[in-house]
């Protein structure tokens, strides 16, 4: 099974930027969709951005225009560029890879990386 490892989290001031990386131990081309989720304290896990193998991207409304997801199949890495960060972006961010086989979803998850936006 392909392992996913996130990095790039940290403490940043409001208005700042961070780039998260998700490195896979194998080919990410095997995943139909790569995505970033986040979970804030006391809240459920939220889909932030997704990137299909075909190149389509989607974002939750609260990050549109500020976050960009990209994937580098040669490096087996997915990125989340986060600009104009706000306090409400504070959360643990998780990388997800999803395979769809015979209409069933098979998910792989990273361990998460903490992003804290605070002055």
């Amino acid at each position: 099974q392909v392992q996913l490892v996130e990095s790039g989290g940290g403490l940043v001031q409001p208005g700042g930027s961070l780039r998260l990386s998700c490195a896979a131990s194998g080919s990410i081309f095997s995943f139909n969709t790569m995505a970033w989720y986040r979970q804030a304290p006391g809240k459920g896990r939220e889909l932030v951005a997704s990137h299909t193998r075909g190149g389509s991207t989607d974002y939750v409304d609260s990050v549109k225009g500020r976050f960009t997801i990209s994937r580098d199949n040669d490096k087996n890495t997915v990125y989340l560029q986060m600009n104009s960060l706000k306090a409400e972006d504070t959360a643990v961010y998780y990388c997800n890879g999803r395979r769809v086989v015979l209409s069933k979803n098979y998910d792989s998850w990273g361990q998460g990386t903490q992003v804290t936006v605070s002055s």
Side-chain angles (χ1 to χ4, degrees), residues 32-117:
N32 296 80
T33 303
M34 298 296 301
W36 288 94
Y37 287 73
R38 66 186 178 187
Q39 187 165 16
K43 295 188 177 181
R45 194 168 292 192
E46 173 187 44
L47 175 60
V48 176
S50 62
H51 193 305
T52 68
R53 187 191 296 152
S56 298
T57 59
D58 198 13
Y59 301 88
V60 67
D61 285 347
S62 60
V63 308
K64 285 181 179 177
R66 299 189 298 121
F67 289 11
T68 302
I69 186 172
S70 60
R71 61 193 280 176
D72 187 330
N73 290 328
D74 291 335
K75 294 184 178 179
N76 294 317
T77 302
V78 179
Y79 304 98
L80 185 67
Q81 178 66 44
M82 305 186 295
N83 299 328
S84 302
L85 283 161
K86 305 175 181 180
E88 51 263 43
D89 295 318
T90 295
V92 179
Y93 284 71
Y94 296 91
C95 180
N96 168 269
R98 172 167 291 179
R99 292 186 179 90
V100 180
V101 181
L102 298 177
S103 299
K104 289 186 177 181
N105 295 332
Y106 296 88
D107 287 322
S108 297
W109 293 93
Q111 82 289 350
T113 186
Q114 176 70 48
V115 171
T116 302
V117 184

